[in-house]
Amino acid sequence: MKLIFRVIVLTLLMSLVFSSAWADKYSDTKKMFEDAGASNLFSSAYGYALFPTIGKAGFVVGGAYGKGRVYEQGKYIGDTAMTQATIGFQLGGEGFSQVVFFQDKRALNEFISGNFEFGADVQAVALTAAVGASANTGGSSATASGGKNNASISSAGYYKGMATFTITKGGLMYEASVGGQKFSYTKR
């Protein structure tokens, strides 16, 4: 009986600890990107979609999934989910954070109008400590990151009103594949 009571108490304590961390994951992720040099984009962009964690895995065929929030002029307006499918040489798994900036209202409206897709030609800037490399959101190149504690932005720019940035959180992924990302949106 004492063991069951201890497990219940421990579970409750852990849920309290994790729920406070869970509530702050969006502000923590935003701060991570700001510290990497994107603070001017958060203040100048019309809106953005923020994904604290996207998990990715692959062995010939790969996939990724993550949930996020959409903000319009700093105000939380809805939820989004990203799915990615890839095919080609790939092996491993990784976790990363991602932010998609919308330059203007048109770009944001295009994103939230329903199911939105990034093709294999859309570029994402990998925020790295050692190298300023760009990576295709379809996974056509391998990237390495210094991680969330020492990432920095080397170059930025909008493509069709959107700019995408990623920070690797951990894992190991070898990849030379093609694919695309699909986003869904649910109004708050």
Side-chain angles (χ1 to χ4, degrees), residues 13-87:
L13 289 173
M14 288 178 63
S15 68
L16 288 174
V17 170
F18 287 118
S19 67
S20 64
W22 184 263
D24 293 331
K25 70 180 178 179
Y26 289 96
S27 58
D28 290 346
T29 302
K30 182 180 177 188
K31 181 167 177 14
M32 183 175 60
F33 279 102
E34 287 174 334
D35 291 346
S39 59
N40 62 331
L41 287 169
F42 280 104
S43 60
S44 66
Y46 184 80
Y48 57 92
L50 189 62
F51 297 87
T53 302
I54 296 175
K56 182 177 185 177
F59 180 74
V60 181
V61 175
Y65 180 78
K67 291 183 178 183
R69 289 184 177 173
V70 178
Y71 297 84
E72 180 176 14
Q73 298 183 327
K75 183 182 174 194
Y76 168 42
I77 63 166
D79 297 308
T80 184
M82 187 283 298
T83 55
Q84 179 181 31
T86 54
I87 188 163

Side-chain angles (χ1 to χ4, degrees), residues 50-126:
L50 189 62
F51 297 87
T53 302
I54 296 175
K56 182 177 185 177
F59 180 74
V60 181
V61 175
Y65 180 78
K67 291 183 178 183
R69 289 184 177 173
V70 178
Y71 297 84
E72 180 176 14
Q73 298 183 327
K75 183 182 174 194
Y76 168 42
I77 63 166
D79 297 308
T80 184
M82 187 283 298
T83 55
Q84 179 181 31
T86 54
I87 188 163
F89 176 75
Q90 53 193 320
L91 177 64
E94 68 179 347
F96 60 95
S97 296
Q98 180 171 313
V99 63
V100 180
F101 290 102
F102 309 109
Q103 188 174 23
D104 51 30
K105 186 171 181 62
R106 179 210 51 84
L108 175 64
N109 286 341
E110 187 176 323
F111 183 85
I112 66 174
S113 65
N115 288 332
F116 181 81
E117 293 185 35
F118 274 159
D121 60 340
V122 176
Q123 297 294 308
V125 176

